[in-house]
Amino acid sequence: QVELVESGGGLVQAGGSLRLSCATSGIVFSDYAMAWYRQAPGKQRELVAHITTGGSANYADSVKGRFTISRDYAKNTMSLQMNSLKLEDTAVYYCNANNGRFPNRNYWGQGTQVTVSS
């Protein structure tokens, strides 16, 4: 049974920091590219950051320079360090795992709320 469990969300003032974590089980972690998505009210889910099986990271322009994605192969976890948070970062953040091959395996966590206040 595959599980992706996010933690670390909460309420933070603009300019503050939060660190999200995604604990995985039931997958061969090193075989999966990992990503963080977010969905704000009334908006589509969008890709925030992505990290390959080899550890190469990419970011949405809106978070570049403020967010850092990382993965720990020993603990089968992924993290997102979010600094200089803005009001527009308010959203539900989702952890995603994708094996990037056929047959494709794509998994989601349940999401964690991040609210940035003024």
Side-chain angles (χ1 to χ4, degrees):
Q1 181 182 355
V2 177
E3 279 195 312
L4 305 180
V5 180
E6 301 98 335
S7 61
L11 175 64
V12 63
Q13 285 193 321
S17 297
L18 278 177
R19 185 176 181 87
L20 304 183
S21 293
C22 173
T24 73
S25 60
I27 61 172
V28 180
F29 184 69
S30 58
D31 285 348
Y32 282 74
M34 302 295 296
W36 288 98
Y37 286 75
R38 68 186 180 188
Q39 188 166 18
K43 294 189 176 182
Q44 288 191 328
R45 191 172 296 190
E46 64 174 355
L47 178 64
V48 175
H50 175 273
I51 188 165
T52 67
T53 55
S56 296
N58 288 285
Y59 301 91
D61 287 343
S62 59
V63 307
K64 212 171 282 185
R66 299 188 297 121
F67 290 10
T68 302
I69 190 171
S70 60
R71 61 190 299 166
D72 186 327
Y73 295 93
K75 296 181 179 179
N76 295 338
T77 60
M78 174 183 63
S79 296
L80 185 69
Q81 178 66 41
M82 305 187 295
N83 298 328
S84 304
L85 283 160
K86 302 177 180 180
L87 297 179
E88 52 264 39
D89 294 320
T90 295
V92 178
Y93 284 71
Y94 296 91
C95 173
N96 175 266
N98 191 292
N99 69 345
R101 62 176 184 264
F102 182 83
N104 188 248
R105 298 285 184 262
N106 190 62
Y107 302 105
W108 294 94
Q110 82 287 352
T112 186
Q113 176 71 47
V114 171
T115 302
V116 183
S117 65
S118 59

